[in-house]
Amino acid sequence: MAKITGAQCLAEMLAGYGVTHVFMVPAVLRRTFAEMERRTKIKRIHTHGEKSAAYMADGYARASGRPGLCMAQVIGALNLAAGLRDAQLAHSPVIAFTGGRDPKTKFRKAYQELDDVPAFEPVTKWNATVDDVSRFPDMLRQAFRVAVSGTPGPVHLQFRGNEGQIDAEEAEMEPLVEPQFDRVPPFRPEPDAKSLLAALQLLQDAERPVIVAGGGVRASGAQSELVMLAEKLSIPVTTSLNGKDSIPGVHPLSVGVCGTYSRESANRVVARADLVCFVGTEAGGMTTHFWAVPKIGVPAIQIDIEPEALGRTYPLRATVLGDAKAVLAKMLEHADAKTAAKRGPWLEQTRSICAEWRAKYRPLLESDAVPVRPERMCAELTRHVPDNGIVVVDTGHAGMWMGGMYDLREPGQSYLRSAGHLGWAFPAGLGAKCGAPDRPVVAFTGDAGFWYHIGEIETAVRWGINSVTVVNNNASGNQSKRGFDRVYGGEQTEKARELWTYRMVNFARIAEDIGALGIRVEKPAELGPAIQHALKADRPVVVDVATDIEALAPLAVV
Ligand SMILES: Cc1ncc(C[n+]2csc(CCOP(=O)(O)OP(=O)(O)O)c2C)c(N)n1
């Protein structure tokens, strides 16, 4: 076997795994970057911060189903770790490389150096060090294997040397890759027949069942099996926020997103169900409004690829271990369509609950008020996001508005959401566009969220990353308003407002200054044309919408 450098090995293996972009702040693995340029077509996106590099890798991974790569030298390692938290919470296959310590100098107060490895423990599935160059091939293969297998998640490899200089060393190495692990899912474990039939029997016997679909349905690519099973058995479907693209919102069986950042109709349906079927969801706090919807004790069944997830949050009547697509396809094969008739009254009830929701919110979804209402923004996005569009949504109010008020129209549309980090959506949208360059990407964020990584407009312009970012700009983080009003005795005082308001800034002008297309919207009628113009521009675009600072999203219904 020939001797090659770690840099050659790494560059070739990343290309072999189909990596198209890596996101980083220099300087880390410098030689590897030079080898990437010589040997591969991988784009080396250098960003304005390690956290946004991690978010871009995360958006790339969620949009493409392939591991997203991000990197930092030793001094940036904890900034990168901070950015992995959302990937860890969302089960996104991100692989992070950092520079680390050298045995020759560690514990001698080397410049910029700390022991960073422990900080990666809570934000990764696997956290390891590469101390000898001959280990590059097996450690990289294991990184890909862990990132995409079972419930996917982030991996960290720390390379010896503060900038990972170990990549300059040579060893006899074969840059062998395992293509099976270049995307999610590498395996599709089949369910065992007995547990599958037991779960199906409960579903068929139920008079008021509901399916709660989570992000595992997207990871498995099980959307069409899910919808076909729901149709065959006449079962309404709600989703977690992460699973919002399991079924189009306009489908007659869709009742909306349940839980905390939710739609009232979904929680009302779940609360009335006599059986809840969780598919590819952790049934965590956000999805169940902190285990209140449904109440603990309701008859429940769960389908998941991760044995430890089965029954973690709700006691279960039946469990099915397996890949969501494989399990749902088998259920579909064995399902008895004749059992659907008895659920006619339930379907009627769930449809009238959905109609009540729509009638209640129609005036706001169609509002002509100035400043613009966020509900109208959501309705315009429902109308104008293309059939193959990817929507990338921030947390906080952005998550509430879009989770509750936006609808996917087509099975070809995707919805990716922050698992809790404010500021995630804009860089994640850039990463999503890199991961799925042929699909339109529209990020939705508040202004507080947009400020975090506003410098990445320059990255988007420099690398021609043509996503559209729509900013709900109310010159504040007004999701915090209710909480501060409460601690100020229910009154809106000037002092309380200091804690959540900002200056009104025209982000369209900033975007233009940096070289992107900026569109400022101040009237609702301008929204649709602005989104259409942005989608056609083939440039990075910021659509800055001046919205109502007093608009508050409805709270979850229990
Ligand atoms: C990293 C992080 N820090 C703090 C928060 C808490 N938080 C949630 S929403 C929010 C304000 C959101 O403001 P903006 O994005 O402008 O949306 P708006 O509420 O104004 O619609 C804050 C501070 C968070 N989710 N993530």
Side-chain angles (χ1 to χ4, degrees), residues 394-398 401 420-422 446-449 452 472 474 476-480:
D394 219 47
T395 193
H397 241 159
W401 290 125
H421 281 90
L422 194 65
D447 53 311
Y452 269 78
N472 171 20
N474 50 23
S476 70
N478 82 330
Q479 191 193 29
S480 302

